[in-house]
Amino acid sequence: MQSSIPPGHEHFDWRLDGAFYYPYSAYLRNRFGGRVQRVSINAGFTCPNADGTLAKGGCNFCNNPSFSPSRRTRRYEIREQIDRGIEALKRRYSNIKGFIAYFQPATNTYADVDHLRALYEESLSHPEVVGLAIGTRPDCVAEDVLDLISELAQQRYVSVEYGMQTIHAESLDWMNRAHYHDSMIDAVERSRGRGFEISGHVILGIPRESHADMMETAVEVARLNLDAVKIHNLYAVKNTRLGDEVAAGEVELMPRDEYVQTVVDFIERLPETMIIERVSGEAPPAYLIAPEWCLQKSSLRHAIEQEFKQRGTRQGSRYVAAASSDG
């Protein structure tokens, strides 16, 4: 199955750094020759499960300001959002090589292609922007939109992050996603070979999903041979249906130790060449209801690395090559 990673980059051996999995930061350093950071952009999109096209209310866990810095302040023009984001990141980090314009909140392909072209090209015209990342749903990528993204990817780094979440229909219904896993399969198949990075977003700890269920999702991520995956723990924020249920004691979220075990189990089943964009998620304290442990990002990452070390394993240790196909 063909990878979307450009030749010369897919064979970077992350193990030489002593890592236990292939971190996104290492991939970016290898590709761009230095530190690269994402700048979150709010382009004012909505979602078809929020505006009534497919459903109403959006995902039960979703309060966009809690997920995206660009949604926590007044919306500015694209160029000004990028300038403000770069300024903030430069105060936090030194020696940044470049920035990726990240269209993050809502469904960032949910518009006509001319509107999308204007937004994407404006972001790429910024002199410090080296690439583009587009967060979207797998059921919202029409052929002309994929053609546009592919066109941009011939000249610049472009990543499309599909909200896969899980392969299980019952869980997708619980979330109010208003699509099923066949949409993810279709989006990946139609995205393959177009020159942009194909990424998937997965959530672990969905209520009523067993450990075996989550490992089935891991095997499917491996079979799809995504270029990258972003793994999050399920967490609850204010002003969401999930937040209300957690606060009322109706839904329990995965404990920290169980999450560490589960995410390591998950990554062990992925091929060594798959980039791991994130191993956990968190929300600003002002928005977060639970679990509080997800705010301890550094110690959580350390615990995950220690679990790999204790087991003597790494990414790919339990990957079964036969799980891949040429589909």
Short mmCIF file of all heavy atoms in Angstrom, two decimals, residues 60-108:
data_model
loop_
_atom_site.label_atom_id
_atom_site.label_comp_id
_atom_site.label_asym_id
_atom_site.label_seq_id
_atom_site.Cartn_x
_atom_site.Cartn_y
_atom_site.Cartn_z
N ASN A 60 -20.80 14.62 21.06
CA ASN A 60 -21.18 14.80 22.45
C ASN A 60 -20.04 15.29 23.34
O ASN A 60 -20.26 15.79 24.43
CB ASN A 60 -21.78 13.52 23.03
CG ASN A 60 -20.76 12.40 23.17
OD1 ASN A 60 -19.68 12.45 22.62
ND2 ASN A 60 -21.14 11.36 23.92
N PHE A 61 -18.79 15.16 22.85
CA PHE A 61 -17.62 15.59 23.63
C PHE A 61 -17.10 16.95 23.20
O PHE A 61 -16.14 17.46 23.77
CB PHE A 61 -16.48 14.56 23.48
CG PHE A 61 -16.08 14.28 22.06
CD1 PHE A 61 -15.27 15.16 21.36
CD2 PHE A 61 -16.51 13.13 21.42
CE1 PHE A 61 -14.89 14.91 20.04
CE2 PHE A 61 -16.14 12.86 20.10
CZ PHE A 61 -15.33 13.76 19.42
N CYS A 62 -17.72 17.55 22.19
CA CYS A 62 -17.08 18.68 21.50
C CYS A 62 -17.57 20.04 21.99
O CYS A 62 -18.74 20.39 21.89
CB CYS A 62 -17.31 18.56 20.00
SG CYS A 62 -16.40 19.79 19.05
N ASN A 63 -16.63 20.78 22.54
CA ASN A 63 -16.80 22.21 22.79
C ASN A 63 -15.57 22.85 22.16
O ASN A 63 -14.50 22.87 22.76
CB ASN A 63 -16.86 22.50 24.29
CG ASN A 63 -16.91 23.98 24.60
OD1 ASN A 63 -16.86 24.82 23.72
ND2 ASN A 63 -17.01 24.31 25.88
N ASN A 64 -15.70 23.34 20.93
CA ASN A 64 -14.53 23.72 20.15
C ASN A 64 -13.54 24.64 20.85
O ASN A 64 -12.33 24.49 20.69
CB ASN A 64 -14.95 24.32 18.81
CG ASN A 64 -15.02 23.28 17.71
OD1 ASN A 64 -14.08 22.53 17.50
ND2 ASN A 64 -16.15 23.21 17.03
N PRO A 65 -13.98 25.63 21.63
CA PRO A 65 -12.97 26.46 22.31
C PRO A 65 -12.05 25.69 23.23
O PRO A 65 -10.93 26.11 23.49
CB PRO A 65 -13.83 27.46 23.09
CG PRO A 65 -15.10 27.55 22.32
CD PRO A 65 -15.34 26.16 21.83
N SER A 66 -12.52 24.54 23.73
CA SER A 66 -11.67 23.76 24.64
C SER A 66 -10.59 22.99 23.90
O SER A 66 -9.59 22.58 24.48
CB SER A 66 -12.53 22.77 25.44
OG SER A 66 -13.00 21.73 24.62
N PHE A 67 -10.78 22.78 22.60
CA PHE A 67 -9.83 22.00 21.82
C PHE A 67 -8.84 22.87 21.06
O PHE A 67 -7.75 22.43 20.74
CB PHE A 67 -10.56 21.10 20.81
CG PHE A 67 -11.44 20.08 21.45
CD1 PHE A 67 -12.81 20.19 21.39
CD2 PHE A 67 -10.90 19.01 22.12
CE1 PHE A 67 -13.64 19.24 21.97
CE2 PHE A 67 -11.72 18.05 22.72
CZ PHE A 67 -13.08 18.17 22.65
N SER A 68 -9.23 24.09 20.75
CA SER A 68 -8.42 24.91 19.84
C SER A 68 -8.14 26.28 20.42
O SER A 68 -9.08 27.01 20.75
CB SER A 68 -9.16 25.06 18.50
OG SER A 68 -8.53 26.05 17.71
N PRO A 69 -6.88 26.68 20.50
CA PRO A 69 -6.56 28.04 20.98
C PRO A 69 -7.23 29.12 20.15
O PRO A 69 -7.61 30.17 20.66
CB PRO A 69 -5.04 28.10 20.85
CG PRO A 69 -4.59 26.69 20.89
CD PRO A 69 -5.68 25.90 20.22
N SER A 70 -7.40 28.86 18.85
CA SER A 70 -7.98 29.88 17.98
C SER A 70 -9.46 30.11 18.26
O SER A 70 -10.03 31.10 17.82
CB SER A 70 -7.81 29.48 16.51
OG SER A 70 -8.50 28.27 16.22
N ARG A 71 -10.11 29.20 18.98
CA ARG A 71 -11.51 29.38 19.32
C ARG A 71 -11.70 30.03 20.70
O ARG A 71 -12.83 30.27 21.10
CB ARG A 71 -12.24 28.03 19.30
CG ARG A 71 -12.64 27.56 17.90
CD ARG A 71 -13.82 28.36 17.37
NE ARG A 71 -14.22 27.93 16.04
CZ ARG A 71 -15.22 27.10 15.79
NH1 ARG A 71 -15.91 26.58 16.77
NH2 ARG A 71 -15.53 26.79 14.56
N ARG A 72 -10.60 30.31 21.39
CA ARG A 72 -10.72 30.88 22.73
C ARG A 72 -10.56 32.40 22.72
O ARG A 72 -10.59 33.03 23.76
CB ARG A 72 -9.69 30.24 23.66
CG ARG A 72 -9.95 28.75 23.87
CD ARG A 72 -9.25 28.22 25.08
NE ARG A 72 -7.82 28.04 24.91
CZ ARG A 72 -7.25 26.94 24.44
NH1 ARG A 72 -8.00 25.92 24.04
NH2 ARG A 72 -5.94 26.85 24.35
N THR A 73 -10.36 32.97 21.57
CA THR A 73 -10.26 34.42 21.44
C THR A 73 -11.14 34.88 20.29
O THR A 73 -11.63 34.07 19.50
CB THR A 73 -8.81 34.85 21.17
OG1 THR A 73 -8.36 34.21 19.97
CG2 THR A 73 -7.89 34.47 22.32
N ARG A 74 -11.34 36.18 20.18
CA ARG A 74 -12.13 36.72 19.08
C ARG A 74 -11.53 36.31 17.75
O ARG A 74 -10.32 36.28 17.58
CB ARG A 74 -12.18 38.25 19.19
CG ARG A 74 -13.06 38.92 18.13
CD ARG A 74 -13.21 40.40 18.43
NE ARG A 74 -11.96 41.11 18.34
CZ ARG A 74 -11.47 41.63 17.18
NH1 ARG A 74 -12.14 41.45 16.05
NH2 ARG A 74 -10.33 42.30 17.17
N ARG A 75 -12.39 35.97 16.81
CA ARG A 75 -11.89 35.51 15.52
C ARG A 75 -11.32 36.68 14.73
O ARG A 75 -11.95 37.72 14.55
CB ARG A 75 -13.00 34.84 14.72
CG ARG A 75 -12.49 34.25 13.41
CD ARG A 75 -13.57 33.48 12.69
NE ARG A 75 -13.13 33.30 11.31
CZ ARG A 75 -13.92 33.47 10.26
NH1 ARG A 75 -15.16 33.84 10.41
NH2 ARG A 75 -13.46 33.26 9.04
N TYR A 76 -10.09 36.51 14.24
CA TYR A 76 -9.43 37.51 13.41
C TYR A 76 -9.30 36.97 11.99
O TYR A 76 -9.58 35.81 11.72
CB TYR A 76 -8.03 37.82 13.96
CG TYR A 76 -8.03 38.41 15.35
CD1 TYR A 76 -7.91 37.59 16.47
CD2 TYR A 76 -8.16 39.78 15.54
CE1 TYR A 76 -7.91 38.12 17.75
CE2 TYR A 76 -8.16 40.32 16.82
CZ TYR A 76 -8.03 39.49 17.92
OH TYR A 76 -8.04 40.02 19.18
N GLU A 77 -8.87 37.83 11.06
CA GLU A 77 -8.57 37.36 9.72
C GLU A 77 -7.45 36.32 9.78
O GLU A 77 -6.66 36.28 10.72
CB GLU A 77 -8.16 38.54 8.84
CG GLU A 77 -9.27 39.56 8.62
CD GLU A 77 -10.52 38.92 7.99
OE1 GLU A 77 -10.36 38.09 7.07
OE2 GLU A 77 -11.63 39.24 8.42
N ILE A 78 -7.39 35.49 8.76
CA ILE A 78 -6.44 34.38 8.74
C ILE A 78 -5.01 34.86 8.98
O ILE A 78 -4.29 34.32 9.84
CB ILE A 78 -6.52 33.62 7.40
CG1 ILE A 78 -7.91 33.02 7.19
CG2 ILE A 78 -5.45 32.53 7.35
CD1 ILE A 78 -8.32 31.99 8.20
N ARG A 79 -4.58 35.88 8.25
CA ARG A 79 -3.20 36.36 8.39
C ARG A 79 -2.92 36.85 9.81
O ARG A 79 -1.85 36.58 10.37
CB ARG A 79 -2.95 37.49 7.38
CG ARG A 79 -1.53 38.05 7.35
CD ARG A 79 -0.52 36.97 6.96
NE ARG A 79 0.82 37.51 6.86
CZ ARG A 79 1.47 37.71 5.72
NH1 ARG A 79 0.89 37.39 4.56
NH2 ARG A 79 2.69 38.18 5.71
N GLU A 80 -3.88 37.53 10.39
CA GLU A 80 -3.67 38.04 11.75
C GLU A 80 -3.64 36.90 12.76
O GLU A 80 -2.85 36.93 13.71
CB GLU A 80 -4.76 39.05 12.12
CG GLU A 80 -4.48 39.75 13.44
CD GLU A 80 -5.47 40.87 13.74
OE1 GLU A 80 -6.33 41.16 12.88
OE2 GLU A 80 -5.37 41.44 14.84
N GLN A 81 -4.47 35.87 12.55
CA GLN A 81 -4.42 34.70 13.44
C GLN A 81 -3.05 34.04 13.38
O GLN A 81 -2.50 33.64 14.41
CB GLN A 81 -5.49 33.69 13.04
CG GLN A 81 -6.91 34.10 13.35
CD GLN A 81 -7.88 32.96 13.07
OE1 GLN A 81 -7.74 31.87 13.61
NE2 GLN A 81 -8.88 33.22 12.24
N ILE A 82 -2.51 33.92 12.19
CA ILE A 82 -1.19 33.30 12.03
C ILE A 82 -0.13 34.15 12.72
O ILE A 82 0.72 33.62 13.46
CB ILE A 82 -0.86 33.10 10.55
CG1 ILE A 82 -1.81 32.06 9.94
CG2 ILE A 82 0.59 32.64 10.38
CD1 ILE A 82 -1.68 31.90 8.43
N ASP A 83 -0.17 35.46 12.51
CA ASP A 83 0.82 36.34 13.13
C ASP A 83 0.75 36.24 14.65
O ASP A 83 1.79 36.16 15.33
CB ASP A 83 0.58 37.79 12.70
CG ASP A 83 1.04 38.07 11.28
OD1 ASP A 83 1.91 37.33 10.78
OD2 ASP A 83 0.51 39.03 10.66
N ARG A 84 -0.46 36.26 15.20
CA ARG A 84 -0.62 36.18 16.65
C ARG A 84 -0.15 34.82 17.18
O ARG A 84 0.49 34.74 18.24
CB ARG A 84 -2.09 36.41 17.03
CG ARG A 84 -2.54 37.86 16.91
CD ARG A 84 -4.04 37.98 17.07
NE ARG A 84 -4.47 39.38 17.11
CZ ARG A 84 -4.65 40.07 18.22
NH1 ARG A 84 -4.50 39.47 19.40
NH2 ARG A 84 -5.03 41.33 18.17
N GLY A 85 -0.47 33.75 16.45
CA GLY A 85 -0.04 32.44 16.88
C GLY A 85 1.46 32.28 16.85
O GLY A 85 2.07 31.71 17.77
N ILE A 86 2.10 32.79 15.80
CA ILE A 86 3.56 32.73 15.69
C ILE A 86 4.21 33.52 16.81
O ILE A 86 5.18 33.05 17.44
CB ILE A 86 4.01 33.24 14.31
CG1 ILE A 86 3.66 32.22 13.23
CG2 ILE A 86 5.50 33.55 14.31
CD1 ILE A 86 3.96 32.68 11.82
N GLU A 87 3.69 34.69 17.10
CA GLU A 87 4.24 35.51 18.17
C GLU A 87 4.19 34.77 19.51
O GLU A 87 5.16 34.77 20.28
CB GLU A 87 3.47 36.83 18.26
CG GLU A 87 3.99 37.77 19.33
CD GLU A 87 3.18 39.05 19.42
OE1 GLU A 87 2.25 39.25 18.60
OE2 GLU A 87 3.47 39.86 20.32
N ALA A 88 3.06 34.12 19.79
CA ALA A 88 2.92 33.39 21.05
C ALA A 88 3.87 32.20 21.11
O ALA A 88 4.48 31.93 22.15
CB ALA A 88 1.47 32.92 21.22
N LEU A 89 4.01 31.48 20.01
CA LEU A 89 4.89 30.32 19.99
C LEU A 89 6.36 30.71 20.11
O LEU A 89 7.14 30.01 20.74
CB LEU A 89 4.66 29.51 18.71
CG LEU A 89 3.35 28.71 18.68
CD1 LEU A 89 3.04 28.23 17.27
CD2 LEU A 89 3.41 27.53 19.64
N LYS A 90 6.72 31.83 19.53
CA LYS A 90 8.11 32.28 19.63
C LYS A 90 8.46 32.71 21.05
O LYS A 90 9.63 32.63 21.45
CB LYS A 90 8.36 33.44 18.65
CG LYS A 90 8.51 32.99 17.20
CD LYS A 90 8.82 34.17 16.29
CE LYS A 90 9.11 33.69 14.88
NZ LYS A 90 9.38 34.82 13.96
N ARG A 91 7.47 33.15 21.81
CA ARG A 91 7.73 33.47 23.22
C ARG A 91 7.96 32.20 24.03
O ARG A 91 8.64 32.23 25.05
CB ARG A 91 6.55 34.26 23.81
CG ARG A 91 6.45 35.70 23.32
CD ARG A 91 5.53 36.52 24.21
NE ARG A 91 4.18 36.00 24.24
CZ ARG A 91 3.20 36.41 23.44
NH1 ARG A 91 3.44 37.35 22.53
NH2 ARG A 91 1.99 35.90 23.54
N ARG A 92 7.39 31.10 23.56
CA ARG A 92 7.46 29.84 24.31
C ARG A 92 8.66 28.99 23.89
O ARG A 92 9.26 28.30 24.71
CB ARG A 92 6.17 29.06 24.11
CG ARG A 92 6.08 27.79 24.91
CD ARG A 92 4.72 27.14 24.73
NE ARG A 92 4.60 25.90 25.47
CZ ARG A 92 3.54 25.10 25.44
NH1 ARG A 92 2.48 25.44 24.71
NH2 ARG A 92 3.52 23.98 26.13
N TYR A 93 8.98 29.00 22.61
CA TYR A 93 10.04 28.15 22.08
C TYR A 93 11.08 28.99 21.35
O TYR A 93 10.78 30.06 20.82
CB TYR A 93 9.47 27.11 21.09
CG TYR A 93 8.40 26.23 21.66
CD1 TYR A 93 7.06 26.40 21.29
CD2 TYR A 93 8.70 25.20 22.54
CE1 TYR A 93 6.07 25.58 21.79
CE2 TYR A 93 7.71 24.37 23.05
CZ TYR A 93 6.40 24.56 22.67
OH TYR A 93 5.43 23.75 23.17
N SER A 94 12.30 28.47 21.30
CA SER A 94 13.37 29.13 20.55
C SER A 94 13.75 28.29 19.35
O SER A 94 13.44 27.09 19.29
CB SER A 94 14.59 29.36 21.45
OG SER A 94 15.08 28.13 21.95
N ASN A 95 14.43 28.91 18.41
CA ASN A 95 14.98 28.20 17.24
C ASN A 95 13.91 27.45 16.46
O ASN A 95 14.09 26.28 16.09
CB ASN A 95 16.08 27.23 17.68
CG ASN A 95 17.23 27.92 18.39
OD1 ASN A 95 17.66 28.99 17.97
ND2 ASN A 95 17.71 27.32 19.47
N ILE A 96 12.79 28.10 16.20
CA ILE A 96 11.73 27.49 15.39
C ILE A 96 12.06 27.70 13.92
O ILE A 96 12.29 28.82 13.47
CB ILE A 96 10.35 28.08 15.73
CG1 ILE A 96 10.03 27.90 17.22
CG2 ILE A 96 9.27 27.42 14.88
CD1 ILE A 96 8.71 28.50 17.65
N LYS A 97 12.06 26.61 13.16
CA LYS A 97 12.40 26.64 11.75
C LYS A 97 11.26 27.16 10.89
O LYS A 97 11.46 27.81 9.86
CB LYS A 97 12.80 25.23 11.30
CG LYS A 97 13.34 25.13 9.89
CD LYS A 97 14.78 25.59 9.83
CE LYS A 97 15.38 25.31 8.45
NZ LYS A 97 16.79 25.73 8.37
N GLY A 98 10.05 26.84 11.29
CA GLY A 98 8.89 27.26 10.51
C GLY A 98 7.60 26.85 11.21
O GLY A 98 7.63 26.24 12.29
N PHE A 99 6.49 27.17 10.58
CA PHE A 99 5.18 26.96 11.19
C PHE A 99 4.23 26.30 10.19
O PHE A 99 4.28 26.57 8.99
CB PHE A 99 4.59 28.29 11.66
CG PHE A 99 5.43 28.98 12.70
CD1 PHE A 99 6.46 29.83 12.32
CD2 PHE A 99 5.23 28.74 14.04
CE1 PHE A 99 7.26 30.45 13.27
CE2 PHE A 99 6.02 29.35 15.00
CZ PHE A 99 7.05 30.20 14.61
N ILE A 100 3.37 25.44 10.72
CA ILE A 100 2.33 24.80 9.93
C ILE A 100 1.00 25.46 10.27
O ILE A 100 0.63 25.53 11.44
CB ILE A 100 2.27 23.29 10.21
CG1 ILE A 100 3.56 22.62 9.73
CG2 ILE A 100 1.05 22.66 9.55
CD1 ILE A 100 3.69 21.18 10.18
N ALA A 101 0.31 25.96 9.27
CA ALA A 101 -1.01 26.54 9.48
C ALA A 101 -2.01 25.40 9.67
O ALA A 101 -2.25 24.62 8.74
CB ALA A 101 -1.39 27.40 8.28
N TYR A 102 -2.57 25.32 10.87
CA TYR A 102 -3.42 24.19 11.26
C TYR A 102 -4.87 24.64 11.35
O TYR A 102 -5.28 25.30 12.30
CB TYR A 102 -2.93 23.64 12.60
CG TYR A 102 -3.66 22.43 13.13
CD1 TYR A 102 -4.41 21.59 12.32
CD2 TYR A 102 -3.57 22.11 14.49
CE1 TYR A 102 -5.05 20.48 12.84
CE2 TYR A 102 -4.20 21.00 15.03
CZ TYR A 102 -4.94 20.20 14.19
OH TYR A 102 -5.59 19.10 14.70
N PHE A 103 -5.66 24.27 10.35
CA PHE A 103 -7.10 24.53 10.38
C PHE A 103 -7.71 23.46 11.28
O PHE A 103 -7.97 22.34 10.85
CB PHE A 103 -7.67 24.49 8.97
CG PHE A 103 -7.32 25.68 8.13
CD1 PHE A 103 -6.08 25.78 7.52
CD2 PHE A 103 -8.23 26.72 7.98
CE1 PHE A 103 -5.75 26.88 6.75
CE2 PHE A 103 -7.91 27.84 7.21
CZ PHE A 103 -6.66 27.92 6.60
N GLN A 104 -7.95 23.84 12.54
CA GLN A 104 -8.22 22.84 13.57
C GLN A 104 -9.68 22.68 13.97
O GLN A 104 -10.21 21.57 13.89
CB GLN A 104 -7.37 23.16 14.82
CG GLN A 104 -7.53 22.15 15.95
CD GLN A 104 -6.66 22.47 17.15
OE1 GLN A 104 -6.10 23.56 17.26
NE2 GLN A 104 -6.53 21.52 18.05
N PRO A 105 -10.37 23.73 14.45
CA PRO A 105 -11.72 23.48 14.97
C PRO A 105 -12.74 23.25 13.88
O PRO A 105 -12.66 23.81 12.78
CB PRO A 105 -12.03 24.77 15.74
CG PRO A 105 -11.19 25.82 15.10
CD PRO A 105 -9.95 25.12 14.62
N ALA A 106 -13.71 22.37 14.17
CA ALA A 106 -14.82 22.06 13.27
C ALA A 106 -14.32 21.27 12.06
O ALA A 106 -13.29 20.62 12.10
CB ALA A 106 -15.57 23.32 12.89
N THR A 107 -15.07 21.34 10.95
CA THR A 107 -14.79 20.54 9.75
C THR A 107 -14.26 21.44 8.66
O THR A 107 -15.03 22.16 8.00
CB THR A 107 -16.07 19.80 9.30
OG1 THR A 107 -16.54 18.99 10.37
CG2 THR A 107 -15.79 18.92 8.09
N ASN A 108 -12.97 21.39 8.42
CA ASN A 108 -12.29 22.42 7.63
C ASN A 108 -12.21 22.13 6.14
O ASN A 108 -11.41 22.74 5.43
CB ASN A 108 -10.90 22.64 8.22
CG ASN A 108 -10.97 23.30 9.58
OD1 ASN A 108 -11.10 24.50 9.71
ND2 ASN A 108 -10.87 22.48 10.62
#
